[in-house]
Amino acid sequence: NALEQYLKQPDNAFASLDWWAFSKIDETLDEVYIPYYDPQINRIRHFFPDFIFWLQRGNDYAIVFVDPKGMLHTDYQHKLDGFRELFFDEEGVPKVFDHNGLSVHVRLLLYTNDANQAPTAYRGHWFDSPAAIPACLEIR
């Protein structure tokens, strides 16, 4: 609902993109997930974010997983750690993949009412405004 309202604003950040699309991930049909270690049960589990966005501006392309469940889910740290293992380098910098002349960025954003309440180590993954989604193309 927040995204729909935001898109109605003429100056929304999505308007600055060359192209964008999104869809809801259906874990019963889609095999799109982020593996992560769950220490509670001592095994690898699958994290299925609710949405996936594809964004393009020039030669920059972003694939953004979005999950709106908030901070009350106590295992979000493990999910973010699993994501970082795949898409961050050893220094903790997000990887950029080159594909067919595009610089591809993969991001994971978790929605909450107040992103400032997120722990410092995970703050870059939390957002409280739909404007943060296209901003993923600005992160280097």
Side-chain angles (χ1 to χ4, degrees):
N1 291 337
L3 177 61
E4 287 178 1
Q5 293 304 313
Y6 181 74
L7 291 173
K8 290 178 184 177
Q9 299 174 14
D11 60 341
N12 74 70
F14 285 86
S16 71
L17 301 174
D18 297 337
W19 178 86
W20 71 275
F22 84 100
S23 65
K24 181 160 179 43
I25 296 174
D26 182 342
E27 65 185 84
T28 63
L29 300 173
D30 302 318
E31 292 189 34
V32 178
Y33 61 85
I34 299 165
Y36 71 98
Y37 174 70
D38 184 342
Q40 300 274 338
I41 59 173
N42 193 30
R43 69 180 183 105
I44 300 296
R45 295 185 60 191
H46 296 164
F47 168 42
F48 295 91
D50 285 356
F51 301 99
I52 185 169
F53 283 75
W54 295 270
L55 316 169
Q56 184 174 2
R57 182 182 302 120
N59 290 334
D60 286 321
Y61 192 86
I63 300 167
V64 184
F65 297 101
V66 174
D67 199 76
K69 294 182 184 80
M71 285 186 212
L72 297 179
H73 291 268
T74 58
D75 59 348
Y76 77 83
Q77 298 97 329
H78 303 299
K79 293 173 181 178
L80 287 172
D81 291 342
F83 176 82
R84 288 177 174 183
E85 282 185 41
L86 293 173
F87 297 108
F88 280 42
D89 66 18
E90 297 79 26
E91 287 84 36
V93 176
K95 296 177 185 176
V96 177
F97 303 90
D98 294 321
H99 180 73
N100 291 339
L102 296 173
S103 295
V104 181
H105 312 261
V106 181
R107 302 292 184 261
L108 172 59
L109 294 178
L110 306 173
Y111 180 80
T112 187
N113 290 329
D114 185 359
N116 292 319
Q117 293 182 5
T120 304
Y122 296 99
R123 193 162 289 154
H125 294 282
W126 288 96
F127 76 107
D128 53 18
S129 166
I133 298 169
C136 287
L137 285 171
E138 311 302 325
I139 300 171
R140 299 279 181 238

